[in-house]
Amino acid sequence: MSMTTAPAEDPTKLAEFESRLNAGETIEPKDWMPEKYRKQLIRMMSQHAHSEIVGMLPEGNWITRAPSLRRKMVLLAKVQDEAGHGLYIYCGTETLNVSREELVDQLLTGKAKYSSIFNYPTLTWADIGVIGWFVDGAAIVNQTMLAKTSYGPYARAMIRICKEENFHKRQGYEICSVLSNGTPAQKAMVQDAVNRWWWPSLMMFGPSDAASPNSAELMRWRVKKETNDALRQRFVNLTIPQALAINLTVPDPGLRYDAETENWEFGAIDWSEFQQVIAGNGPCNRERLAARRKAHDDGAWVREAAEAHAARQAAKAQSSAA
Ligand code: 3HC
């Protein structure tokens, strides 16, 4: 798709672009956009897509060990949804004049990031419930905001994906509720999972606003409508009452409700852990990338067959046109 991107130093076009955004207009693939806007979107959207694809791994680990046929079917459906979300967002990213091959290569070579949350291990079945409740719950908070982002293809992708995320969160919360009301061992298992996933889930929203190098520009260009801290606070405010409703606690001694702000104030996040994980030193980073590289290599024959088929079809079309 040809992109009419003039050099970002074109002040007239830039002023026009920003007045369109300020009027609440949506930018479409064929519209003029500053190169930096395009690059920011490719970065954010491709990393989102990578997160969806890598995110299949921790949950996929439990498909063969789900405790019942019903739980297995629900988990299968969720993991398949995540694959679809990834492909959907990759397609949206390709409207910015970047190829799928390039994006996948950035993931497999470690050049691109994916969400830190997927670098933690799923140790028990309760982890599957907490991932649905916390991780998809956090994704819903973030993606509901992104459904109003200024780039049309991304906003539309979010509208469709959020509907499926709601199912993901509900099934996860149901698993946690059943376990919390189950035997003492089941209750202990789900509380242990909450303890392990709570802080990494808060880190999903990114560094604090003061430490976020991309937020100011993304807010100015209405790619992000709310900041990392604002979304994180919304997630905490939503999730604590849900934990209380099923008699679970979060591992935060500093947690307290502020009736004035109506916020659940929470303790300090360990940003050194976050930096370690996004630098590739989390518990499962190597395992996740190795799994993605193997899947890519094992799928080479499918790509080759599809390319050979496309070439034959093109040759047939050419000879019948001659
Ligand atoms: N994991 C990995 N990297 C992260 C991160 C996280 N949780 N949070 C921030 N970072 C990275 C950023 O990518 C950036 O690095 P880069 O410049 O090399 O890309 C750096 O840390 C600084 O962070 P910023 O706050 O400046 O970056 P952003 O403004 O891009 O904000 C974000 C980070 C909030 C993740 C934003 O990119 C975003 O909203 N992305 C789209 C949503 C998304 O990717 N969600 C991931 C989860 S997907 C998911 O949960 C699937 C669901 O089905 C379960």
Side-chain angles (χ1 to χ4, degrees):
M1 177 164 303
S2 70
M3 178 71 57
T4 53
T5 308
E9 66 282 355
D10 182 333
T12 324
K13 284 193 171 290
L14 191 55
E16 211 176 275
F17 173 78
E18 297 202 348
S19 67
R20 287 192 63 198
L21 292 180
N22 295 333
E25 288 185 35
T26 299
I27 304 301
E28 294 299 334
K30 287 205 177 90
D31 293 342
W32 183 89
M33 61 182 79
E35 184 57 13
K36 196 70 197 313
Y37 178 83
R38 189 180 77 89
K39 282 216 161 51
Q40 275 283 22
L41 280 166
I42 290 174
R43 175 190 67 85
M44 200 166 148
M45 290 173 72
S46 60
Q47 293 185 155
H48 193 164
H50 298 331
S51 304
E52 301 278 3
I53 299 298
V54 174
M56 294 163 69
L57 293 167
E59 292 178 301
N61 179 28
W62 277 88
I63 289 175
T64 55
R65 295 181 286 170
S68 71
L69 179 59
R70 174 172 172 265
R71 290 293 184 203
K72 184 196 285 275
M73 291 192 302
V74 171
L75 183 54
L76 263 173
K78 177 180 191 306
V79 172
Q80 282 171 337
D81 280 351
E82 308 300 8
H85 296 175
L87 299 181
Y88 210 56
I89 300 170
Y90 278 134
C91 288
T93 314
E94 286 169 316
T95 65
L96 291 156
N97 245 356
V98 62
S99 74
R100 178 76 60 94
E101 291 72 21
E102 198 179 334
L103 299 175
V104 172
D105 182 63
Q106 287 167 358
L107 170 67
L108 299 181
T109 55
K111 273 194 221 108
K113 295 183 170 74
Y114 56 87
S115 190
S116 49
I117 193 73
F118 298 122
N119 288 307
Y120 291 83
T122 44
L123 303 177
T124 71
W125 172 251
D127 288 42
I128 299 305
V130 175
I131 286 176
W133 177 23
F134 285 1
V135 177
D136 290 78
I140 290 168
V141 169
N142 182 303
Q143 292 166 182
T144 305
M145 177 270 291
L146 287 171
K148 302 181 195 78
T149 189
S150 58
Y151 188 57
Y154 199 19
R156 292 188 288 271
M158 290 301 102
I159 291 168
R160 165 167 162 187
I161 287 174
C162 281
K163 291 187 180 114
E164 292 173 342
E165 298 293 11
N166 276 298
F167 143 63
H168 298 171
K169 177 177 174 179
R170 282 178 195 282
Q171 64 83 37
Y173 189 57
E174 189 211 14
I175 291 173
C176 294
S177 171
V178 166
L179 291 173
S180 186
N181 291 296
T183 64
Q186 288 174 328
K187 168 84 186 259
M189 179 169 67
V190 68
Q191 183 60 65
D192 165 62
V194 166
N195 294 345
R196 284 182 285 107
W197 288 91
W198 175 248
W199 292 106
S201 298
L202 298 195
M203 295 174 198
M204 280 179 72
F205 292 93
S208 67
D209 295 351
S212 166
N214 295 292
S215 282
E217 191 166 64
L218 291 171
M219 295 285 285
R220 188 171 117 235
W221 282 341
R222 299 170 191 270
V223 175
K224 274 183 176 179
K225 295 277 184 106
E226 295 182 76
T227 67
N228 299 354
D229 287 336
L231 295 175
R232 194 180 351 260
Q233 183 64 68
R234 179 169 310 139
F235 170 74
V236 173
N237 289 349
L238 280 171
T239 309
I240 296 301
Q242 292 165 352
L244 295 173
I246 57 174
N247 304 310
L248 293 173
T249 59
V250 298
D252 179 359
L255 187 76
R256 63 175 191 80
Y257 185 68
D258 181 333
E260 216 172 288
T261 61
E262 296 184 336
N263 283 335
W264 281 93
E265 300 298 329
F266 52 92
I269 292 174
D270 177 359
W271 292 114
S272 63
E273 176 183 332
F274 173 74
Q275 290 303 334
Q276 276 302 310
V277 174
I278 68 169
N281 305 318
C284 299
N285 294 56
R286 286 173 192 74
E287 180 188 332
R288 299 289 183 243
L289 268 188
R292 284 309 317 148
R293 287 179 186 131
K294 181 175 182 320
H296 189 72
D297 294 344
D298 292 352
W301 69 271
V302 177
R303 294 191 295 275
E304 285 153 20
E307 279 156 16
H309 176 69
R312 262 200 310 281
Q313 293 299 91
K316 223 192 276 174
Q318 214 166 15
S319 62
S320 54

